[in-house]
Amino acid sequence: MLKWIKIGCLLLLFSSCNDTGIETYTPYSPTLSPLDIPKIFADNILPPIIPPDNPQTVEGIALGRKLFFDPILSANNTQSCASCHAPENAFTDIDRFSDGIDGILGNRNSMPLFNLAWNYDNKFFWDGRSFGLEKQALEPVKDPIELHNTWSNVAQTLQSHSEYPDLFLEAFGTSTIDSTLVTKALAQFQRTLISSNSRFDKHLLGEITLTPSELNGFNIFMDETKGDCFHCHGNANNPLWTDNDFHNNGLDATFLDKGLGKITGDPNDDGKFKSPSLRNLKFTAPYMHDGRFATLDDVINHYSEGLVNSPTIDPLMKSVDNGGVQLSDSEKADLKAFLLSLSDVEFINNPDFKAP
């Protein structure tokens, strides 16, 4: 008898009455919400990566947004994903190292979050240790220096919540909550974080004209004998402004943090970290995987005269024997002006990316 009562309750969840008053079965049907792909992306790069088993839906995105800003995912209900990935900072942290719920600092700077659906190698974190955006979201929750929770506790807490079971039912057709559905929702929201409206984007679309300093900075960026930046960070035809690959960019002679090398076990990968996008640099200081550079001027000075040789130095660091590309003060100023033109004020102020 109990079995049939449960089946009847499930049928009621997905039923409605027609004009004759006869109850009819209504299957679970979320509202599809494909990504709004900017023209500058559609014209220049491949389509985004959307897993077939996690399509973008209105309900899934809304649930992911709520979860992203909710401290309920942490063990003591004090921190959320947004605590280390703040919208006003292009979803990164202004502190060099974020501290978790126990006040313990890590050794890496929080990565900014945008245009993640176009991460074609599908490897996430500075060292590429997670394959896929959904799997990436598994780690911060259980990391002892971040949210320091367990997924079984997260599921139990959400399951007993007054709102979340119904929200999961709307988004995924089930009110039974587990880590797979939580991370699917988070990934759906994060894929909507698209940045595509910087001054340089508007320049490419013919909407504005860059200043002479910005234009000269772009030329320096593209010049192999000057900035020589484009190999790792793309060009005007790459709106991501990263190759999403891993490089040793001459920060250290030896490595306490091996980066990719720790993941692959290959000593040839020691000291290699993922190239971050150059978008939104105005909002994402400090810089590098360990946040060692407080300002954009520090970054430019590093590539100009601060390169350090090591056994795994990237061949693209061609000027390492000279310490760098040796830019003049005016060239540095122009390069900085161009890099700042890649910042997207509309992105950090988008109300759809704020706490619900």
Side-chain angles (χ1 to χ4, degrees):
M1 177 63 71
L2 182 59
K3 172 185 176 181
W4 290 109
I5 291 174
K6 289 182 177 179
I7 292 174
C9 291
L10 287 173
L11 289 174
L12 284 173
L13 287 173
F14 303 109
S15 63
S16 62
C17 293
N18 60 22
D19 293 339
T20 64
I22 299 174
E23 200 168 56
T24 58
Y25 174 71
T26 303
Y28 157 68
S29 182
T31 308
L32 292 178
S33 181
L35 293 180
D36 185 9
I37 300 176
K39 177 177 174 22
I40 201 165
F41 283 43
D43 289 348
N44 290 288
I45 56 177
L46 295 171
I49 299 172
I50 309 293
D53 66 344
N54 193 26
Q56 298 288 116
T57 67
V58 171
E59 296 82 3
I61 293 166
L63 174 57
R65 178 183 178 188
K66 181 176 176 64
L67 288 165
F68 189 90
F69 289 96
D70 195 337
I72 197 171
L73 296 182
S74 66
N76 63 1
N77 209 43
T78 61
Q79 289 190 357
S80 68
C81 303
S83 298
C84 301
H85 298 280
E88 62 270 23
N89 302 118
F91 291 89
T92 186
D93 192 346
I94 60 172
D95 292 331
R96 180 178 180 183
F97 303 128
S98 304
D99 59 337
I101 65 169
D102 300 320
I104 301 173
L105 294 176
N107 64 346
R108 292 182 183 167
N109 184 240
S110 177
M111 294 195 82
L113 306 177
F114 49 82
N115 300 337
L116 301 174
W118 286 271
N119 182 358
Y120 295 121
D121 72 355
N122 228 8
K123 295 177 182 177
F124 291 87
F125 291 107
W126 285 107
D127 54 20
R129 65 184 180 271
S130 287
F131 187 79
L133 192 53
E134 284 78 2
K135 289 185 178 179
Q136 176 276 328
L138 288 169
E139 295 205 27
V141 167
K142 60 185 182 181
D143 194 315
I145 63 171
E146 295 187 62
L147 302 185
H148 202 184
N149 208 345
T150 66
W151 275 108
S152 60
N153 186 57
V154 168
Q156 183 179 359
T157 304
L158 293 174
Q159 199 73 65
S160 61
H161 192 270
S162 60
E163 297 177 64
Y164 277 115
D166 287 340
L167 294 176
F168 275 87
L169 181 63
E170 293 173 4
F172 298 109
T174 177
S175 58
T176 301
I177 301 170
D178 61 15
S179 61
T180 298
L181 296 185
V182 173
T183 56
K184 280 186 173 183
L186 287 169
Q188 283 192 45
F189 170 64
Q190 289 179 80
R191 288 190 176 100
T192 70
L193 303 178
I194 299 173
S195 176
S196 64
N197 199 31
S198 67
R199 280 180 52 78
F200 196 83
D201 295 318
K202 294 176 182 178
H203 166 73
L204 292 177
L205 293 171
E207 297 174 5
I208 66 168
T209 300
L210 294 182
T211 66
S213 178
E214 291 168 332
L215 288 171
N216 190 49
F218 174 62
N219 291 333
I220 293 169
F221 180 94
M222 294 298 299
D223 191 331
E224 289 201 57
T225 64
K226 294 289 186 180
D228 197 20
C229 312
F230 67 95
H231 290 105
C232 299
H233 292 287
N235 52 48
N237 296 318
N238 176 6
L240 302 178
W241 295 102
T242 175
D243 62 358
N244 275 317
D245 205 351
F246 300 83
H247 302 277
N248 171 357
N249 61 337
L251 292 171
D252 299 297
T254 58
F255 313 106
L256 294 176
D257 184 347
K258 293 184 178 182
L260 181 64
K262 181 178 180 180
I263 306 306
T264 65
D266 185 347
N268 292 315
D269 290 332
D270 288 354
K272 294 181 180 179
F273 295 89
K274 197 174 188 72
S275 297
S277 173
L278 297 182
R279 281 186 177 274
N280 298 314
L281 293 175
K282 183 176 181 179
F283 318 117
T284 59
Y287 307 100
M288 300 295 167
H289 70 277
D290 57 2
R292 69 177 63 190
F293 296 137
T295 69
L296 191 51
D297 296 296
D298 293 335
V299 175
I300 294 172
N301 288 338
H302 165 70
Y303 289 109
S304 179
E305 56 263 357
L307 295 181
V308 178
N309 211 340
S310 68
T312 62
I313 187 78
D314 199 293
L316 294 171
M317 303 293 110
K318 298 187 291 290
S319 301
V320 64
D321 290 341
N322 296 321
V325 293
Q326 300 295 320
L327 297 176
S328 67
D329 288 345
S330 63
E331 288 170 333
K332 289 179 181 180
D334 289 347
L335 178 58
K336 179 180 178 181
F338 160 68
L339 292 173
L340 291 175
S341 80
L342 298 174
S343 295
D344 183 352
V345 175
E346 182 180 277
F347 173 72
I348 66 164
N349 290 303
N350 190 328
D352 293 336
F353 304 156
K354 306 284 188 177

